[in-house]
Amino acid sequence: MASGDVLPRFYTVFLSNISSNSLLIPRVYYEHLPRRLPKTAILTGTGGRFWKVAMMSKREQVYFEQGWGNFVADNDLKDGEFLTFVFDGHKSYEVSIYGRGECKETRAVIQVEEISDETESDNDSLGSLVDVTPMPVEENSDDDTEGDDDSGDSVVDVTPMPVEEISDASENDSS
């Protein structure tokens, strides 16, 4: 796709009796799908959440299936609401929901909670500086860690260091 091209998109009206467990992608949109249909797609909502859904081809029609029901429930979709899908050209879709008020709505918002690592008495003139420099961790090939995807990504330790250790470490780096 050329850089000036508009990303492919489609819309549909949500009807719970036919779209609660799976969603049929409109046939006229198939020309924008990859020739080899991916097994999964990522739906991104306006609230910042992501859903992984299975893409299935049945009788020459393409559907969002497994995982679609979670998207419907998390976004509390109601009959008659419009959904727009903007495809990134690979396997992700940005989904917008237009309620009956005809306005784009933000739903399924990510909840962000701030956590403080320090109390006020621990603060000094440097504030809350911490070192988050990645430090290699020894890999142990004998471990069968649950969720190990063998992706080749190395594990790093990003444990915050006390401010005193940061200043000691920077003095050692300069020598």
Side-chain angles (χ1 to χ4, degrees):
M1 200 173 348
S3 62
D5 290 349
V6 174
L7 294 173
R9 58 192 71 220
F10 70 91
Y11 77 92
T12 189
V13 177
F14 180 76
L15 299 172
S16 60
N17 61 333
I18 59 173
S19 303
S20 288
N21 297 316
S22 65
L23 178 74
L24 174 64
I25 296 174
R27 189 178 293 271
V28 296
Y29 189 76
Y30 294 176
E31 69 184 66
H32 299 290
L33 295 173
R35 290 189 192 265
R36 185 175 176 149
L37 191 66
K39 292 180 181 181
T40 60
I42 304 298
L43 305 180
T44 306
T46 54
R49 289 200 42 201
F50 296 86
W51 293 264
K52 185 176 182 180
V53 296
M55 292 189 77
M56 302 292 283
S57 179
K58 295 181 197 173
R59 295 184 286 272
E60 298 182 24
Q61 294 183 317
V62 180
Y63 295 84
F64 290 137
E65 292 224 334
Q66 185 179 1
W68 173 254
N70 294 335
F71 177 84
V72 170
D74 291 346
N75 287 284
D76 194 27
L77 295 181
K78 305 272 190 271
D79 286 331
E81 293 181 325
F82 279 76
L83 304 164
T84 61
F85 296 79
V86 180
F87 185 45
D88 73 353
H90 301 287
K91 62 187 287 185
S92 294
Y93 294 82
E94 179 184 300
V95 185
S96 297
I97 301 167
Y98 294 81
R100 293 194 175 173
E102 300 175 0
C103 293
K104 186 176 184 178
E105 296 182 0
T106 301
R107 299 191 184 171
V109 177
I110 292 178
Q111 297 294 325
V112 178
E113 184 177 321
E114 287 199 29
I115 300 172
S116 174
D117 290 338
E118 303 179 48
T119 62
E120 281 192 30
S121 62
D122 291 339
N123 290 336
D124 62 7
S125 62
L126 293 177
S128 59
L129 289 177
V130 293
D131 182 12
V132 290
T133 305
M135 298 171 58
V137 174
E138 290 184 35
E139 294 183 21
N140 186 347
S141 59
D142 296 334
D143 285 348
D144 287 330
T145 306
E146 184 176 317
D148 185 9
D149 63 357
D150 292 326
S151 64
D153 294 338
S154 60
V155 179
V156 294
D157 180 7
V158 291
T159 306
M161 295 174 66
V163 174
E164 298 81 35
E165 289 183 34
I166 294 171
S167 58
D168 291 345
S170 63
E171 289 171 13
N172 291 338
D173 290 340
S174 62
S175 38

